[in-house]
Amino acid sequence: MVGSTVKRVVASTGLLGVAALALSGCSDLAKRGFLPADDTTDHTQAISSLWVHSWIVLLGVGVVVWGLVIWSAIVYRRRKGETGLPAQTRYNLPIEVLYTAVPFVLIFAFFIATVHVQSATEANATEAYDGADVQVQVVGKQWSWDINYLTDEGEANVHEDAGVQADYSGGETFDESNLPTLYLPVNKEVKIKLDARDVAHSFWVPYFLYKKDLLPGVHNNYWTFTPTKEGTFAVKCAELCGEYHSMMLMNIEVVSESEYETHLTELRDRGNTGALGNELNRRQDLIYTSEDSQQSDSAASEN
């Protein structure tokens, strides 16, 4: 009996050693929970940490539960020659309080941590916030995106060419050569105004670990962040919006401030001044204006 117990302890220790060795050799991608990036904006590190630490806690809970299940199955298994039921434990108040309280504590902790990260991410994502270095407007449509670069007062300055959907190349590939591209300067705070021309869309940047809905005729959503890494980042629509939803692609090009200013100058020289405006909306009855916002706020305060 003692020998079998020692063998189980040795085997368990060996498995723990193997697990520790495997974890110590994890790649950077594995260490951040297989999320695509952890340093592309000023918010991604906090989001990635929330995800990774949540899984560490849940894995710990799983190890405890699995360990108790396996231990009970081995220690209290029916031996040869035994009959009847083993001794039963009922109405153990301390144990019942424990397995009721622990889940509540975990849920409360996850809730607080999530609210903390979400509040930090959404702190300046409002129409009234005017402290951003760069303001742009992204308008979703079936099935592409229009991009307007705004002044500090929120008025349209220049715009990209009207967006066109990706061409399907066959298999799982698309021709992305003509996709709309949003240029942003690195290490500058950006405020994006999100709107839609027809149906609900969702502006999703996987490498930024963030997405936000675009709702026609309801209100404008906003997203404020600081890109911290230069590069090209894919944008997708994360809201099923019709037949060619999968072709609603776009890119974000994060460049130096000088490259950003040069691009705006090129757009101005090409004649892309002003805005790709509401006259392009397929649903003219769903145009949202700042007056709608004021009326909505007034109605809300009266109620």
Side-chain angles (χ1 to χ4, degrees):
M1 181 68 177
V2 174
S4 61
T5 301
V6 171
K7 289 179 181 179
R8 287 199 295 270
V9 171
V10 171
S12 300
T13 304
L15 289 174
L16 289 174
V18 171
L21 181 62
L23 289 173
S24 65
C26 285
S27 65
D28 289 339
L29 182 63
K31 289 178 181 178
R32 62 174 179 255
F34 297 96
L35 294 178
D38 61 352
D39 57 355
T40 51
T41 78
D42 58 330
H43 299 310
T44 49
Q45 182 61 55
I47 297 171
S48 179
S49 294
L50 174 64
W51 173 264
V52 171
H53 287 96
S54 296
W55 273 106
I56 290 174
V57 172
L58 295 174
L59 181 60
V61 172
V63 168
V64 171
V65 173
W66 297 331
L68 289 174
V69 170
I70 295 172
W71 179 76
S72 299
I74 293 175
V75 173
Y76 299 108
R77 71 188 187 280
R78 184 186 295 275
R79 267 71 172 186
K80 185 177 180 179
E82 289 183 344
T83 59
L85 296 174
Q88 303 296 300
T89 300
R90 298 177 180 173
Y91 311 116
N92 190 308
L93 184 59
I95 292 179
E96 292 180 4
V97 170
L98 178 66
Y99 67 60
T100 302
V102 169
F104 272 102
V105 171
L106 290 175
I107 292 171
F108 183 74
F110 284 138
F111 176 80
I112 294 299
T114 301
V115 168
H116 176 73
V117 173
Q118 180 176 308
S119 297
T121 304
E122 294 289 312
N124 296 325
T126 64
E127 182 176 7
Y129 179 68
D130 59 1
D133 301 305
V134 174
Q135 294 191 53
V136 298
Q137 180 186 25
V138 175
V139 186
K141 62 184 182 182
Q142 293 176 315
W143 288 270
S144 190
W145 312 85
D146 290 335
I147 301 166
N148 294 318
Y149 298 92
L150 309 179
T151 63
D152 293 339
E153 292 74 28
E155 301 298 327
N157 184 11
V158 294
H159 61 80
E160 299 285 351
D161 295 335
V164 295
Q165 70 188 52
D167 292 327
Y168 181 59
S169 301
E172 297 181 357
T173 61
F174 297 89
D175 178 8
E176 301 184 13
S177 58
N178 295 320
L179 292 184
T181 299
L182 169 61
Y183 280 76
L184 297 177
V186 69
N187 295 325
K188 294 291 184 180
E189 190 176 42
V190 178
K191 175 181 174 182
I192 299 183
K193 177 182 179 182
L194 299 169
D195 200 357
R197 298 200 184 283
D198 35 47
V199 299
H201 301 283
S202 188
F203 185 75
W204 179 35
V205 190
Y207 271 80
F208 291 178
L209 306 181
Y210 192 89
K211 69 182 181 71
K212 192 165 238 185
D213 288 348
L214 297 77
L215 305 172
V218 180
H219 61 82
N220 295 121
N221 279 335
Y222 294 84
W223 176 20
T224 302
F225 65 98
T226 301
T228 57
K229 182 177 181 180
E230 293 187 24
T232 302
F233 305 99
V235 179
K236 302 180 180 182
C237 178
E239 185 79 24
L240 183 59
C241 57
E243 183 177 4
Y244 299 105
H245 162 72
S246 62
M247 299 184 187
M248 192 169 171
L249 307 177
M250 187 176 83
N251 289 319
I252 288 180
E253 191 78 29
V254 180
V255 297
S256 66
E257 185 176 5
S258 61
E259 290 177 282
Y260 172 75
E261 294 297 339
T262 298
H263 180 69
L264 295 190
T265 300
E266 292 174 351
L267 292 176
R268 194 173 293 108
D269 292 343
R270 283 187 358 218
N272 288 20
T273 56
L276 295 172
N278 289 332
E279 68 277 2
L280 300 178
N281 285 20
R282 183 162 62 85
R283 292 289 305 275
Q284 289 293 313
D285 58 321
L286 294 181
I287 294 177
Y288 171 81
T289 66
S290 58
E291 288 76 12
D292 296 329
S293 176
Q294 296 171 1
Q295 294 172 6
S296 176
D297 293 341
S298 299
S301 61
E302 291 173 1
N303 294 331

